[in-house]
Amino acid sequence: LALLLLSAELASLLLTAVLSCPATKPSMLNVHLVPHTHDDVGWLKTVDQYFYGGRNYIQHAGVQYILDSVVAELQKDPARRFIYVETAFFFRWWSQQSRSTRNIVTQLVQEGCLEFVNGGWCMSDEASTHYSSVIDQMTLGLRFLNDTFGECGRPRVAWHIDPFGHAREHASIFAQMGYDGFFFGRLDYQDKDRRMKTKEMEMVWRASASLNPPTADLFTGVLPNGYNPPPGFCWDQSCSDDPVQDDPALEDYNVDDLVSRFISISKAQAALYKTNHIVMTMGSDFQYENANPWYKNMDKLIHYVNAQQANGSQVNVLYSTPSCYLQELNLANQTWPLKSDDFFPYADGPHDFWTGYFTSRPALKRYERLSNSLLQTCNQLEVLGGPKSRSGPFGKGDSDTMKRAMAVAQHHDAVSGTEKQHVADDYAKRLAEGWAHCQVLVSNSLSVLSGSEVPRVFCENLNISVCPLTEGSKMFSMNVYNPLARPVSWSVHLPVNGTSYNVTDSSGNVVDTHLILIYTAARPLCADLKRPRVPSAPTLSGRASALRRPSPAAPPLCADLHAASPLCFQYLKVTFDPNTGLLSGLTNLETQQSVQLTQNFYWYNASVGNAESSQTSGAYIFRPNSSTPCAVSKKPDISTLQNSVVQEVRQQFSPWVSQVVRLYEGSRELELEWTVGPVPVEDGFGKEVITRFDSNISSAGYFYSDSNGREVLERRKDYRPTWDLTQTEPIAGNYYPINSRAFIKDGKAQLTVVTERSQGVSSIYNGSLEIMLHRRLLRDDYRGVGEPLSEPGEFGNGLVVRGRLLLTLTPPETAADSHRPLAQGLVLQPLLSFQEGAPKPTSKLEFSALQAALPPAVHLLTLSQWDSESVLLRLEHQYESGESKAFSQPVTLNLQVHTHTHSAVTALLPCCLLYRLSLLCFDCSFFS
């Protein structure tokens, strides 16, 4: 029955599409004019400033006026068309409209005059976004369109005209969401030149190596002129091109000249494409604020060009949309070239590689990733806590504020780090507001689940060892909520002021912990209570621990050696060079694998332009002035700490670079906690800071990086799978984005680095892997943002960033068994909350929404309240085809076995199926 209903739905949609598309002429060259505006959800101005048209001294742009003007002009002629993309702006505009205006807009949508394309809350970045957040922001926008306009509002085409390179995973997601095609504006200048010569500007993108074709196949087209109109035909009030002056009695009559030039441009463009249909984007950034000159001149252009058909012209011009254009290409019954890799890195000139933004604004990138983790926890606890989670003892909470903030943060000038500083501050402020709303909801939900209404504290500054409650309390309890559907062990570091603590778990058992004295200039003496491994937190669960400070005692003695002793527990051994204090080797004691491994920190001197090119490094572009980076230090200051639960080597490379190399008891991965900043620029040099691992692994120029945190792509130095590369930037031209992992390997060993934010990665030398951590620059790169990337930080002297890398050494055939769960564990981290005093006897100290963990191959992607009576559940197979002997197999899952019968989760499967019928979500398994 579901299949029959779906077929009927698609047949109805096809009929609607055919009826709303204008007629074309099969024997002529059909030029599809696509009126559009590109409205950044923040860039040079904030989202609010762009919507209202504020601060026009920065950039003249007001989205509300664009929509007002376009709706007025579309009513004048049913042949006119317009497409709109950014649902975040349309949602705001719609909420301010009268019922009569809404009725008019609904009719325009039903008639095909106003068409939504893409449909997400924003046009997301494709390098710095994680697939789970992309799905969420698409869901937010598509749901609004579906609820507001029904099937007529459903976008059929993905439209990413501005992102700076294109990820294969994005194309896979679009294909699985049911889009018919994908159009974009930017690709590497060498790739574009080749494609124009071979008529391969349009192709089928096979966007998954694991899904059987055509599941992830997507028709993909490269637009001819970025997303701008052809030269001489921009009629926005911001442009200076001549209008169509068609009165012969008046001065500057130009119809014949404009028609002749337009026909010539059309024929030249048609020579680059396969069919007798071409598309022209009529619009650009924030255009159509006054739509009248656009439509008035396009009306005339269509009239006068088509009038030449009487004189033998074979050019036919029409208003159109991407879906109508795509429909004609489908009817042409052509064979299209196949694309199976991605479109990274992107360069628009020989020395202009857009690879710097992979790392730009690293603190914002981390905050966005942490916010996603909190959002998923918030969503889950809203379901588990029921209605009281939204209105309970701690007030009114919601997840919607965070959903919208996170959706805006996916924009290609948000998490990418390519916005002005005040706009970056606004994105962070929105996320902070989302945190506040979610924390109320989480507190309410946990009070329901635990039975305790004692106020909860969320210590958001634990990364700098600040938490007033733990530092000032003689006794407190800590709750750990695990948002993953499998047990995890998690290290917990808490700042305290006592010298001895008793720690017990939810069953009253004593937990092994250690106090470590720490010293900073701002905090002369405090202690860091390390409870390195929370014992296997259950799935979708909360667990409480009690921490009590007894009477004062002598401070604990920990080894503080000034030579780097080896780190060794049962699974790993880490060695250091006794002369330099640098990492020298890594051994997997389980598999008896050893590699020579060194690590250090370096910085590339950012180019300020030279005789070869004036291009500088900036927010977008990475251009070092030398292929050889400068070492921060070749011999860091060293101290060593060792106890029964954690072993550390602390390395101080300079006043602005330090690292803790940390190995936990029971851990199969090595943790590197790095701190970089404030990056000094007093010497006049902008700096792009990397850490580099050099090993004796024979990688032969190959390395591997993930695509938006999901499938992994093979990379090769100075090589592109699609064309013969002429490499002009040996460093920047070999950088790629990573969202969660990168690795090198040979036939025996694989070294994998798992990250907790999006960054840039490369392998310049055999056996090496380098990751860019931080950037501070003194020049703009002339791509529009108009200011250097020099974040002020808390004290105005530069941003300090702290982060973690996890290293694993494994046989290649079992590597995914480690890095897949490690990566998911960093994306969805346990949420810590704290309460003053001991838990009450009536409190429930442990709970779980699942009776048993999901199978290792199955990941709980989404558990969220859909409406008052239904819940959205998304499950995914998280292993690629062939990457794991143990887990790259189909999985059958019985939800009744895993969920509690009294839980709201028991009836989720029908909700997932109903949602899938609306073509807004995936199958429950991604990988075969």
Side-chain angles (χ1 to χ4, degrees):
L1 178 61
L3 291 175
L4 289 174
L5 288 173
L6 189 59
S7 299
E9 175 193 50
L10 290 175
S12 174
L13 286 171
L14 180 61
L15 178 61
T16 302
V18 171
L19 291 176
S20 64
C21 287
T24 59
K25 296 188 176 181
S27 61
M28 294 188 178
L29 172 61
N30 294 275
V31 183
H32 296 247
L33 302 184
V34 178
H36 80 105
T37 179
H38 175 59
D39 298 341
D40 288 304
V41 186
W43 179 38
L44 307 183
K45 303 198 295 188
T46 68
V47 184
D48 294 346
Q49 291 161 3
Y50 271 136
F51 179 76
Y52 283 108
R55 299 199 188 184
N56 277 342
Y57 60 87
I58 299 176
Q59 180 185 13
H60 188 95
V63 174
Q64 61 171 333
Y65 307 121
I66 294 173
L67 292 168
D68 288 343
S69 185
V70 165
V71 168
E73 289 298 319
L74 289 178
Q75 297 175 65
K76 296 178 181 179
D77 186 347
R80 291 176 173 179
R81 295 291 186 270
F82 192 79
I83 64 170
Y84 200 72
V85 179
E86 293 84 8
T87 308
F89 283 132
F90 188 86
F91 170 82
R92 291 181 179 211
W93 180 83
W94 180 262
S95 67
Q96 298 177 2
Q97 302 311 302
S98 65
R99 178 176 296 181
S100 61
T101 300
R102 290 186 178 188
N103 290 339
I104 291 170
V105 173
T106 300
Q107 183 176 354
L108 291 172
V109 172
Q110 291 173 344
E111 293 172 350
C113 299
L114 175 61
E115 179 177 306
F116 295 100
V117 296
N118 215 62
W121 207 245
C122 69
M123 186 185 296
S124 60
D125 182 55
E126 298 191 45
S128 304
T129 47
H130 192 268
Y131 72 94
S132 62
S133 297
V134 173
I135 293 170
D136 282 348
Q137 76 91 8
M138 291 298 296
T139 299
L140 190 64
L142 293 171
R143 183 181 185 183
F144 168 76
L145 295 177
N146 187 64
D147 291 348
T148 306
F149 300 108
E151 289 298 337
C152 289
R154 176 183 157 225
R156 305 193 64 81
V157 168
W159 184 261
H160 269 214
I161 55 177
D162 197 28
F164 330 119
H166 303 282
R168 194 175 74 174
E169 190 59 40
H170 263 72
S172 178
I173 288 173
F174 289 143
Q176 294 178 71
M177 283 183 168
Y179 284 90
D180 295 330
F182 179 34
F183 292 94
F184 61 77
R186 298 184 189 268
L187 82 164
D188 187 274
Y189 74 104
Q190 293 184 43
D191 192 9
K192 185 174 183 179
D193 182 64
R194 183 196 67 84
R195 289 183 179 278
M196 289 192 297
K197 292 176 180 177
T198 58
K199 290 191 175 184
E200 294 186 358
M201 294 286 277
E202 294 167 330
M203 71 211 81
V204 171
W205 196 349
R206 182 150 293 166
S208 173
S210 294
L211 293 172
N212 293 327
T215 305
D217 289 0
L218 187 64
F219 181 89
T220 301
V222 181
L223 297 170
N225 196 36
Y227 54 88
N228 300 305
F233 294 88
C234 180
W235 292 304
D236 193 73
Q237 63 184 14
S238 63
C239 297
S240 56
D241 293 343
D242 290 335
V244 181
Q245 300 172 81
D246 56 350
D247 188 340
L250 299 180
E251 188 177 3
D252 295 333
Y253 174 82
N254 64 357
V255 169
D256 296 339
D257 176 62
L258 281 178
V259 168
S260 175
R261 284 196 290 122
F262 186 84
I263 290 176
S264 295
I265 290 173
S266 299
K267 290 180 177 179
Q269 181 178 324
L272 310 177
Y273 291 81
K274 279 194 167 189
T275 75
N276 64 324
H277 293 268
I278 61 173
V279 62
M280 288 188 179
T281 47
M282 305 301 285
S284 192
D285 291 357
F286 297 98
Q287 294 194 356
Y288 286 79
E289 197 169 312
N290 180 2
N292 179 55
W294 261 119
Y295 282 108
K296 191 168 187 176
N297 285 282
M298 284 191 292
D299 287 345
K300 291 181 178 181
L301 180 69
I302 292 170
H303 171 74
Y304 288 116
V305 172
N306 290 347
Q308 291 299 308
Q309 295 171 14
N311 300 324
S313 170
Q314 293 296 300
V315 176
N316 181 52
V317 190
L318 61 147
Y319 282 116
S320 189
T321 65
S323 62
C324 290
Y325 171 68
L326 189 60
Q327 177 180 290
E328 295 295 336
L329 297 186
N330 184 51
L331 295 173
N333 197 28
Q334 283 278 343
T335 299
W336 305 98
L338 197 65
K339 168 83 170 177
S340 59
D341 57 313
D342 63 3
F343 289 94
F344 287 116
Y346 162 62
D348 58 3
H351 304 285
D352 315 333
F353 282 86
W354 298 47
T355 53
Y357 80 97
F358 301 160
T359 299
S360 295
R361 302 194 186 278
L364 180 62
K365 282 178 165 64
R366 178 59 181 150
Y367 194 34
E368 180 273 337
R369 189 64 60 84
L370 283 172
S371 298
N372 177 54
S373 181
L374 177 63
L375 174 58
Q376 304 312 319
T377 294
C378 190
N379 286 337
Q380 293 176 11
L381 287 173
E382 184 177 11
V383 173
L384 302 179
K388 290 185 179 179
S389 63
R390 295 181 290 279
S391 181
F394 302 103
K396 293 186 180 296
D398 67 83
S399 59
D400 292 340
T401 304
M402 181 66 98
K403 287 177 182 176
R404 287 193 285 267
M406 275 296 297
V408 167
Q410 306 315 303
H411 170 59
H412 59 268
D413 282 308
V415 67
S416 60
T418 55
E419 64 276 12
K420 283 185 177 292
Q421 183 63 52
H422 79 102
V423 181
D425 295 340
D426 183 69
Y427 289 133
K429 177 184 175 182
R430 292 174 184 277
L431 292 173
E433 291 171 350
W435 279 67
H437 284 255
C438 266
Q439 286 172 352
V440 173
L441 186 151
V442 168
S443 294
N444 287 337
S445 181
L446 290 178
S447 72
V448 172
L449 296 168
S450 69
S452 171
E453 295 188 1
V454 176
R456 292 179 183 273
V457 173
F458 302 87
C459 293
E460 299 173 11
N461 295 316
L462 287 176
N463 66 318
I464 56 171
S465 297
V466 173
C467 179
L469 186 144
T470 65
E471 295 175 67
S473 300
K474 292 185 177 181
M475 184 172 187
F476 60 91
S477 61
M478 176 182 70
N479 183 273
V480 183
Y481 178 81
N482 172 25
L484 291 170
R486 58 178 175 83
V488 296
S489 295
W490 189 256
S491 62
V492 177
H493 298 204
L494 302 179
V496 293
N497 278 320
T499 57
S500 178
Y501 277 80
N502 296 328
V503 182
T504 56
D505 64 17
S506 56
S507 301
N509 300 316
V510 175
V511 178
D512 190 12
T513 58
H514 281 267
L515 276 170
I516 300 170
L517 297 180
I518 59 176
Y519 177 86
T520 67
R523 299 159 58 85
L525 183 63
C526 59
D528 191 9
L529 176 63
K530 292 186 182 294
R531 182 189 174 188
R533 311 300 284 183
V534 174
S536 200
T539 60
L540 291 188
S541 65
R543 170 177 280 176
S545 297
L547 298 90
R548 183 192 304 272
R549 184 174 70 196
S551 58
L557 294 177
C558 298
D560 187 9
L561 309 176
H562 294 284
S565 302
L567 309 182
C568 186
F569 277 120
Q570 63 265 49
Y571 298 120
L572 287 181
K573 181 180 180 180
V574 187
T575 58
F576 296 83
D577 187 305
N579 297 317
T580 65
L582 297 174
L583 188 69
S584 64
L586 181 62
T587 299
N588 184 328
L589 298 175
E590 278 189 294
T591 61
Q592 295 300 303
Q593 292 173 285
S594 292
V595 295
Q596 298 172 17
L597 179 66
T598 62
Q599 183 232 4
N600 205 342
F601 292 85
Y602 306 83
W603 57 273
Y604 288 106
N605 187 357
S607 175
V608 295
N610 54 31
E612 196 172 20
S613 171
S614 61
Q615 184 58 61
T616 59
S617 271
Y620 299 94
I621 289 177
F622 171 36
R623 189 181 181 224
N625 71 353
S626 171
S627 297
T628 303
C630 305
V632 174
S633 173
K634 295 181 180 179
K635 189 175 182 180
D637 292 334
I638 296 297
S639 63
T640 301
L641 178 146
Q642 295 188 354
N643 56 50
S644 62
V645 292
V646 64
Q647 299 176 2
E648 296 180 350
V649 171
R650 301 175 180 180
Q651 302 167 313
Q652 188 72 43
F653 291 84
S654 75
W656 57 280
V657 175
S658 62
Q659 179 174 259
V660 179
V661 183
R662 184 178 289 128
L663 180 63
Y664 292 112
E665 189 276 330
S667 175
R668 289 178 169 86
E669 67 274 358
L670 179 67
E671 178 182 304
L672 306 177
E673 184 182 71
W674 51 268
T675 303
V676 177
V679 178
V681 291
E682 294 78 14
D683 54 8
F685 298 126
K687 296 177 177 64
E688 322 211 39
V689 184
I690 67 166
T691 186
R692 192 175 77 207
F693 302 92
D694 295 294
S695 75
N696 62 345
I697 292 175
S698 299
S699 57
Y702 290 88
F703 64 107
Y704 301 81
S705 63
D706 67 302
S707 181
N708 298 125
R710 294 205 76 228
E711 295 193 55
V712 173
L713 280 77
E714 180 183 86
R715 311 298 191 183
R716 183 177 167 189
K717 182 185 175 185
D718 296 334
Y719 176 80
R720 303 290 187 268
T722 312
W723 79 92
D724 293 330
L725 173 69
T726 300
Q727 184 60 275
T728 50
E729 286 288 331
I731 304 299
N734 282 302
Y735 258 71
Y736 291 85
I738 52 170
N739 302 102
S740 62
R741 81 213 72 186
F743 56 84
I744 53 174
K745 65 178 181 178
D746 57 21
K748 298 179 180 179
Q750 176 169 320
L751 179 69
T752 305
V753 181
V754 178
T755 69
E756 28 79 290
R757 74 192 76 196
S758 295
Q759 295 167 315
V761 69
S762 188
S763 179
I764 304 300
Y765 308 104
N766 181 43
S768 79
L769 199 63
E770 65 180 59
I771 297 174
M772 187 176 290
L773 305 176
H774 200 352
R775 314 177 74 220
R776 189 179 184 191
L777 307 170
L778 302 177
R779 302 285 192 276
D780 179 46
D781 55 10
Y782 312 113
R783 291 307 185 276
V785 75
E787 64 183 31
L789 180 67
S790 181
E791 299 179 87
E794 185 177 3
F795 303 107
N797 62 338
L799 180 69
V800 180
V801 184
R802 177 168 291 163
R804 291 193 301 156
L805 302 173
L806 302 181
L807 266 63
T808 63
L809 177 65
T810 57
E813 60 270 17
T814 61
D817 301 354
S818 299
H819 69 67
R820 285 284 172 188
L822 272 181
Q824 292 290 14
L826 286 184
V827 171
L828 295 181
Q829 298 186 5
L831 177 67
L832 308 182
S833 61
F834 303 90
Q835 294 174 300
E836 183 81 39
K840 294 181 179 180
T842 56
S843 297
K844 187 175 183 180
L845 299 184
E846 188 170 338
F847 64 86
S848 176
L850 300 179
Q851 295 186 62
L854 295 182
V858 179
H859 172 57
L860 175 65
L861 182 61
T862 306
L863 176 60
S864 179
Q865 197 73 38
W866 187 250
D867 54 36
S868 61
E869 297 181 351
S870 58
V871 171
L872 170 63
L873 172 72
R874 290 192 184 103
L875 302 172
E876 63 164 325
H877 197 305
Q878 66 175 336
Y879 284 86
E880 289 189 52
S881 176
E883 75 173 353
S884 169
K885 292 181 180 179
F887 303 127
S888 292
Q889 305 293 334
V891 177
T892 299
L893 184 67
N894 185 340
L895 289 183
Q896 291 182 336
V897 171
H898 293 273
T899 58
H900 290 295
T901 55
H902 64 272
S903 170
V905 183
T906 54
L908 296 184
L909 188 57
C911 301
C912 182
L913 293 178
L914 287 172
Y915 188 48
R916 183 170 179 255
L917 283 178
S918 66
L919 296 181
L920 300 181
C921 102
F922 301 90
D923 288 314
C924 284
S925 63
F926 284 145
F927 297 135
S928 299

